[in-house]
Every structure is written in structure tokens, then in C-alpha cells.
Amino acid sequence: MATTTTRSFLQVAATEEAAPPLRVVQIEGLVILKIIKHCKDHSPSLVTGQLLGLDVGSVLEVTNCFPFPTREEDEEIEADGANYQLEMMRCLREVNVDNNTVGWYQSTLLGSFQTVELIETFMNYQENIRRCVCIIYDPSRSDQGVLALKALKLSDSFMELYRSNNFTGEKLREKNLSWVDIFEEIPIKVSNSALISAFMTELEPDTPVTQCDYDRLQLSTSSLMERNTEFLIECMDDLSLEQQKFQFYYRSLSRQQAQQQAWLQKRRAENMARKAAGEEPLPEEDPSNPVFKPLPEPSRLESFLITNQISNYCNQINGVSGQSFNRLYLMKALHED
């Protein structure tokens, strides 16, 4: 009987380890409204908050959230933030509300969220939570009639490489990791109870046109295009600086290899002379010689993030310009009629 119990326990443990991959992030409509209100009230300042819910199989359910308070620069942010978070979760537990942390949300400006700080936050959450997500909300894009909401997580291959802190070209080729493999976007599914759905049906106006539909017909997108282009130019400048670092590294490496060859030729000629004189030859490698000290290769993480950000800005410019052309052609057709 004891053997059967042990085997079943091991089977359960193995089942827990082999959890299914995360497929969907299911968010309640009230949580989305809280996130939108918090981000829009403090826009253009960037804010963050905690996501609470349950991890059920391949679905991550987000049932509640609460905002982190904004602080001044001279306050002790980390200590105060941790105490505030613990106090909020204790209060939620007392009123029988889900208090399991499943990630966090944050606002962004025109999709400029792919930074090293975001990755470090992900890794800190991963130390205590097996699976967590970050909900990104962009108020500036939502003003154009689009719900700019996405759920992100780090890929498993990237997290494994980040823990080793080895982003050299050789290691990236070995892992077959590129800049598109850093983040994974998880589909979002909005869920509402039957009572809320019925209430929203009663609130629907008689007219089929809403304010959001009018927002989509705005012809003026020059400010949005201009800001996207400015951010894109800044990213291109940053990428150029990163490329200069690698160019300097390869020039230094080529110079060091030339010095090593010159030193080896000199040492071999000296050994030939010593051998002719009947003396012991000297070793051809001298670790104490600075010529043989390996040069540290710059990390490619920053260039990967900048490339990711450039791709994001290009996609946004492509989407905004495509929608603008559609609206302009629509207005042209209406005027002709």
C-alpha cells in the first residue's frame, strides 16, 4: 500500500512539473476597465499595478488588480512598494477576493516598453511565480479608437540564456535565438459574468454608432505619425551606437590576433636559436602576456531590444498610415458622390 501511495505521489509531482504551455490570458472586463482608468488618469506618466487571479492549466485567469501608488524620487520606492503590495493582498484575502499574483500591468507611450527593466522585472517575478504575464496598455494609441492592450511573457529559451548572462554571438547561434524570440504575445480573452453581460446589453444605445466608431474616422493622424517617426529615429541612432561597439570590438580583436601572430613568430625564431644552442625551448603561449588576454565580447541584448522596438514602431507606422489611406479614399469617394 505504501508503494502505491509513493508512486501516485511521484506521478502527481511529474504532472505538475509538465504543466501545459500558456495559451490564453482570460481577463474580466472589470479588470480591463480598472487598468484603462488608472493608465488614462495618469497619462502621459507611466504607471504600474498588480494582477491577481488563478493559473488554471493552459489559461491564466486575471480576476482582479490594484494600482501601485506613484511616488516621488526621494522616497524609498522598493521598501514602500513591497509593504503596500503585502498590505493590499492581506486586505483582499480578508474579504475573500483572489489574492494570487499572476503578473503586473503597466502603461506605455507608443509601444516603447521593450527595455532591460521589463526583462529584469519578469525575472524577479519568475523567482516566485511559475507563470506570469505583463499586460501592456497604450493610452496614446487607444485615443485613435483602438484598444491597445496586449499580454506578454518571456520565452523559455530566452530566460534560460538570460540566467547564464551570456549574450555572445556564438551562444546565440548555438541556441538559435534571434531578436524576435525574446517576448511571446499571448492572446487575450475578455470574460464577463452573465449578469454583467445582461446589464451591458441594457446599456447599449438604440443607435448602432458609438463614439468609438467616430474616433476611428479621425483624418488627422499627423501627430501620431510624427511621434512614431521621432521615436524610430532615436532607436536607429541607438542601434548605430551599438553597432559601433561591435565594430570597435572586432577591430580590437583583429589587432590582438595580429599581435599574437607577431609574438608567436618571434618566440618560434627564439626557440630555433635556443634549440641550435642546445637549450630547452620556451613555451609558445604565455598566459601572463596581455596579448593573450581574451577580449570580452559586448552583449547583444541591448541591440536585440532596440531591434525589437524598431520593428514595433515600423508596424505601428504601417498600421496608422494604412488606416489613414483607407479613410482618405473613403472621404474622396463620399465627396465625389
Side-chain angles (χ1 to χ4, degrees):
M1 186 66 181
T3 306
T4 306
T5 305
T6 305
R7 187 182 298 112
S8 62
F9 174 76
L10 293 176
Q11 290 175 354
V12 172
T15 305
E16 290 181 354
E17 290 180 359
L22 184 60
R23 301 295 184 188
V24 178
V25 176
Q26 181 175 302
I27 309 179
E28 292 192 1
L30 182 59
V31 176
I32 294 181
L33 292 178
K34 288 182 178 179
I35 294 175
I36 292 175
K37 184 178 185 303
H38 183 211
C39 296
K40 280 197 170 184
D41 288 347
H42 294 81
S43 181
S45 301
L46 303 182
V47 295
T48 61
Q50 193 77 54
L51 298 176
L52 306 174
L54 297 172
D55 184 2
V56 183
S58 60
V59 179
L60 192 67
E61 298 181 2
V62 182
T63 58
N64 203 353
C65 69
F66 62 86
F68 289 150
T70 56
R71 305 176 183 85
E72 300 296 333
E73 295 182 356
D74 55 349
E75 295 186 31
E76 298 179 359
I77 297 178
E78 294 186 1
D80 292 346
N83 295 332
Y84 172 80
Q85 181 179 351
L86 293 175
E87 184 65 20
M88 280 293 297
M89 295 178 70
R90 185 186 63 80
C91 295
L92 291 173
R93 185 171 58 251
E94 289 180 355
V95 295
N96 199 22
V97 177
D98 289 337
N99 62 337
N100 300 315
T101 302
V102 294
W104 79 101
Y105 70 86
Q106 67 179 52
S107 60
T108 184
L109 180 61
L110 295 178
S112 55
F113 57 87
Q114 301 182 17
T115 60
V116 177
E117 290 76 15
L118 179 64
I119 296 177
E120 292 176 350
T121 306
F122 260 117
M123 299 306 296
N124 292 333
Y125 271 83
Q126 288 287 343
E127 292 180 358
N128 302 314
I129 307 172
R130 183 179 60 178
R131 291 195 300 194
C132 68
V133 295
C134 177
I135 303 296
I136 305 292
Y137 178 72
D138 193 342
S140 57
R141 289 192 60 205
S142 297
D143 292 339
Q144 304 298 318
V146 180
L147 181 59
L149 195 73
K150 61 174 62 179
L152 298 177
K153 66 179 290 291
L154 292 179
S155 63
D156 296 335
S157 57
F158 176 79
M159 286 192 294
E160 180 182 354
L161 192 62
Y162 188 84
R163 291 188 181 100
S164 64
N165 196 22
N166 187 1
F167 286 95
T168 60
E170 181 181 357
K171 197 67 176 179
L172 292 172
R173 287 190 295 269
E174 177 185 338
K175 297 292 184 179
N176 195 21
L177 190 72
S178 64
W179 59 270
V180 297
D181 301 321
I182 298 178
F183 296 101
E184 293 181 6
E185 185 173 353
I186 311 299
I188 294 179
K189 178 182 177 182
V190 181
S191 173
N192 289 313
S193 65
L195 186 60
I196 293 179
S197 300
F199 180 68
M200 291 176 62
T201 303
E202 291 184 358
L203 292 178
E204 287 183 357
D206 296 333
T207 172
V209 181
T210 62
Q211 181 61 39
C212 185
D213 296 324
Y214 288 118
D215 292 340
R216 294 192 185 98
L217 295 177
Q218 288 184 3
L219 298 179
S220 176
T221 57
S222 58
S223 61
L224 193 62
M225 289 284 292
E226 181 180 355
R227 293 163 70 187
N228 267 295
T229 307
E230 288 176 356
F231 288 164
L232 179 60
I233 293 174
E234 291 179 3
C235 283
M236 294 299 296
D237 292 339
D238 294 338
L239 185 61
S240 177
L241 293 176
E242 290 295 321
Q243 291 177 343
Q244 290 178 12
K245 293 180 182 178
F246 286 103
Q247 291 173 358
F248 177 77
Y249 165 74
Y250 284 116
R251 285 197 300 267
S252 301
L253 185 62
S254 177
R255 191 182 308 113
Q256 185 188 54
Q257 291 175 350
Q259 293 175 352
Q260 290 176 356
Q261 291 297 325
W263 188 89
L264 286 174
Q265 291 178 1
K266 181 179 179 182
R267 176 55 62 91
R268 287 168 183 169
E270 185 178 354
N271 284 337
M272 290 178 63
R274 292 176 65 89
K275 190 179 294 185
E279 300 177 357
E280 289 290 332
L282 299 174
E284 293 190 355
E285 291 187 2
D286 186 6
S288 60
N289 194 326
V291 175
F292 292 95
K293 184 179 179 181
L295 296 176
E297 183 177 348
S299 174
R300 298 178 184 266
L301 176 60
E302 194 68 33
S303 60
F304 272 25
L305 292 175
I306 295 174
T307 306
N308 240 324
Q309 199 64 60
I310 290 175
S311 175
N312 189 27
Y313 288 140
C314 290
N315 292 335
Q316 290 181 174
I317 292 174
N318 187 28
V320 172
S321 59
Q323 294 173 7
S324 299
F325 275 118
N326 291 336
R327 289 193 289 267
L328 290 174
Y329 281 124
L330 175 61
M331 293 302 298
K332 179 182 178 182
L334 291 176
H335 282 299
E336 290 177 354
D337 293 341

